[in-house]
Amino acid sequence: MATMDDRYQAARDFLDQVYPSPPQPHKDKPWITLTYAQSLDGMIAKHGQQLLLSGPESMAMTHRLRLLHDAILVGISTVLVDNPQLNARHAPAADIETYGQPQPIVLDTRLDMPLDCKLITNYRTGVSNKQPWVVTSKAADASKLQALEKAGAHVIQMEDEGRPDFGKVFKVLRQQYKIERVMVEGGARVIQSCQPYADEIIETTAPVTVGSEGLPASRDQTQQLVNIHQCQFGNDKVFAAQCLR
């Protein structure tokens, strides 16, 4: 049976092929990597339920990938359902020290982020040194905004009245916050919305089916892909490719 060190080394070897050099940002947006795990029938989540698809081997790849990015972006639904930590805690300590943990970013139009979620409590209690950033709209409730900031989050309020436009969000992250590489982890709606901005897609397929209860990633099958790499990680198959622009 492969040890954690073996799994992480396999992840490093694969990603060294995918990213032979650090991905370079654009002038108006960071380098965007869309990454998700899906079932054989193309589902990445269930309605309102946590769905764990990645095995330990592909999970090691995900945590290595996180270290190669400045930030991880998810939607509020991922926080509400999965309560994630959005860090690379399974990576070796030496690599974490070299790269630093990624910046967690949550898109939350209505500011529904729980004040006791792991992203906030980890920062407030010193488990993490990364203050979670919350991207919201101009019309966000002022009392919720103040409560989140008091709890420990940094709120980025966009000019949009409704759901912030991802093109504008990425521009702000690149130009105002100097974020060069963003890893988008979901959920389904966020992945679909970010496809026009993607530079890289890394897709893990687990040997299970979910059925009609699932939510699909719905990747754009017409997108021309180059620099394609595939690798078997345990029972999971990982596909990586750059999006031709």
Side-chain angles (χ1 to χ4, degrees), residues 14-15 17-19 33-39 54 58 61-62 65 195 198-206 219-233 235-244:
F14 175 67
L15 290 173
Q17 299 176 56
V18 176
Y19 298 126
T33 299
L34 295 188
T35 177
Y36 52 89
Q38 65 175 7
S39 61
S54 299
S58 59
M61 187 277 301
T62 296
L65 185 63
Q195 287 190 45
D199 297 291
E200 183 92 25
I201 293 173
I202 299 185
E203 180 182 274
T204 299
T205 301
R219 176 163 65 83
D220 181 5
Q221 300 297 326
T222 65
Q223 173 69 60
Q224 189 172 354
L225 303 176
V226 296
N227 298 334
I228 295 172
H229 299 274
Q230 298 185 69
C231 186
Q232 192 77 28
F233 284 91
N235 294 324
D236 304 333
K237 181 174 288 187
V238 176
F239 168 91
Q242 289 184 9
C243 303
L244 189 63

Side-chain angles (χ1 to χ4, degrees), residues 2-235:
T3 66
M4 184 177 294
D5 287 344
D6 293 336
R7 293 194 291 264
Y8 191 79
Q9 185 59 53
R12 190 199 304 270
D13 292 343
F14 175 67
L15 290 173
D16 282 350
Q17 299 176 56
V18 176
Y19 298 126
S21 58
Q24 296 303 304
H26 306 270
K27 179 181 177 181
D28 293 332
K29 77 174 187 69
W31 175 278
I32 305 296
T33 299
L34 295 188
T35 177
Y36 52 89
Q38 65 175 7
S39 61
L40 285 173
D41 51 349
M43 304 300 175
I44 66 170
K46 285 186 176 181
H47 293 274
Q49 299 180 46
Q50 188 174 29
L51 179 62
L52 299 177
L53 291 170
S54 299
E57 293 84 2
S58 59
M59 183 60 70
M61 187 277 301
T62 296
H63 280 244
R64 170 66 182 176
L65 185 63
R66 287 176 174 181
L67 287 182
L68 301 180
H69 291 77
D70 299 323
I72 302 174
L73 186 146
V74 300
I76 184 58
S77 61
T78 297
V79 174
L80 295 176
V81 174
D82 296 342
N83 195 16
Q85 299 187 64
L86 303 184
N87 57 28
R89 60 194 177 279
H90 296 315
D95 278 12
I96 294 174
E97 184 175 351
T98 298
Y99 292 95
Q101 292 283 9
Q103 172 64 54
I105 304 173
V106 179
L107 182 72
D108 185 3
T109 305
R110 297 190 299 270
L111 295 183
D112 292 328
M113 189 168 173
L115 302 183
D116 61 349
C117 69
K118 289 179 181 177
L119 291 173
I120 291 179
T121 56
N122 281 359
Y123 175 69
R124 192 170 59 233
T125 59
V127 172
S128 170
N129 65 354
K130 289 293 185 180
Q131 181 183 30
W133 296 354
V134 181
V135 179
T136 192
S137 73
K138 181 180 181 180
D141 184 275
S143 61
K144 287 185 176 182
L145 190 154
Q146 292 173 5
L148 274 172
E149 290 189 328
K150 185 177 180 180
H154 170 63
V155 179
I156 301 172
Q157 198 164 17
M158 303 296 294
E159 288 299 316
D160 302 277
E161 292 286 349
R163 190 168 189 257
D165 175 85
F166 273 106
K168 296 177 184 177
V169 170
F170 290 140
K171 186 173 183 178
V172 166
L173 292 178
R174 176 73 184 100
Q175 296 187 347
Q176 294 186 27
Y177 290 88
K178 310 306 179 185
I179 296 294
E180 296 188 349
R181 290 171 284 275
V182 174
M183 179 174 169
V184 177
E185 287 202 19
R189 186 180 179 190
V190 169
I191 289 172
Q192 291 166 9
S193 299
C194 288
Q195 287 190 45
Y197 308 99
D199 297 291
E200 183 92 25
I201 293 173
I202 299 185
E203 180 182 274
T204 299
T205 301
V208 297
T209 56
V210 174
S212 59
E213 296 181 352
L215 294 170
S218 300
R219 176 163 65 83
D220 181 5
Q221 300 297 326
T222 65
Q223 173 69 60
Q224 189 172 354
L225 303 176
V226 296
N227 298 334
I228 295 172
H229 299 274
Q230 298 185 69
C231 186
Q232 192 77 28
F233 284 91
N235 294 324

